[in-house]
Amino acid sequence: MRCPFCSNEASQVKDSRPTDDGAAIRRRRQCEACGARFTTFERIQLRDLTVVKSGANGIEGRREPFEREKLMRSVSTACRKRPIQPAQIERLVSGIQRQLETTGESEIPSQRIGELVMEALKGLDSVAYIRFASVYKDFREAKDFEEFAGNVSEVGKS
């Protein structure tokens, strides 16, 4: 494991333990060259996933490797300043990643990932759900928010 401070290749594991949800192993490491300590996470990866982006006019666009951290950032942004614990976000992202890996497909359309995130956020927090939807569905005007929020409140009543 390369040291993030000095880029030395040699490090020593000082402590290992499972994360709260049991989906990863947290390791505390110490660089043998500079002595700096840092944390790494080891996760199960069932298959390499490729995200297929949608191009112009809905035509299939470029492909890029699935990045868990990118998904984590977008969900965290939607949940910012909401009463949502980081562990809840971690479980949500882990659940989505697990769903994607168990589909049997190695290429996943970006729309499918967006749908899974919307579905998960809908059950977690309505404000985070609307925030994510505003970017995912590309709201252009205030009335787009108004229409969407009206549908969300109806969903919450049932």
Side-chain angles (χ1 to χ4, degrees):
M1 181 62 59
R2 185 179 308 236
C3 174
F5 304 102
C6 71
S7 298
N8 183 41
E9 297 274 339
S11 65
Q12 193 174 58
V13 175
K14 294 296 186 182
D15 180 45
S16 289
R17 64 180 66 163
T19 56
D20 291 337
D21 63 358
I25 301 290
R26 177 185 179 272
R27 299 194 194 284
R28 286 293 294 154
R29 296 178 177 269
Q30 183 170 2
C31 176
E32 292 180 0
C34 71
R37 289 187 176 219
F38 56 98
T39 303
T40 59
F41 290 88
E42 183 178 311
R43 299 184 187 286
I44 295 171
Q45 182 175 337
L46 297 176
R47 64 176 35 100
D48 287 332
L49 297 174
T50 302
V51 178
V52 180
K53 301 283 193 165
S54 55
N57 301 324
I59 299 170
E60 197 174 278
R62 69 183 191 284
R63 288 169 165 67
E64 59 185 54
F66 173 79
E67 295 178 44
R68 177 189 170 82
E69 289 306 313
K70 190 173 181 180
L71 178 59
M72 184 70 109
R73 275 193 311 272
S74 65
V75 171
S76 295
T77 300
C79 295
R80 187 174 293 142
K81 295 186 179 181
R82 299 297 304 152
I84 300 168
Q85 298 299 315
Q88 290 175 288
I89 296 171
E90 179 69 35
R91 278 192 301 275
L92 184 142
V93 170
S94 292
I96 291 170
Q97 184 176 6
R98 207 168 304 121
Q99 281 181 281
L100 295 172
E101 288 176 341
T102 57
T103 62
E105 301 292 323
S106 59
E107 291 191 346
I108 310 291
S110 59
Q111 296 91 340
R112 179 66 185 135
I113 297 171
E115 290 165 6
L116 289 172
V117 172
M118 296 244 325
E119 190 177 302
L121 285 175
K122 188 178 202 177
L124 185 64
D125 184 85
S126 59
V127 173
Y129 174 62
I130 292 171
R131 284 179 181 167
F132 186 85
S134 70
V135 175
Y136 176 66
K137 294 185 178 286
D138 195 26
F139 291 174
R140 298 277 183 194
E141 300 174 15
K143 71 178 172 115
D144 296 337
F145 279 98
E146 188 177 339
E147 290 170 9
F148 190 79
N151 292 336
V152 170
S153 61
E154 290 172 17
V155 169
K157 291 177 185 174
S158 56

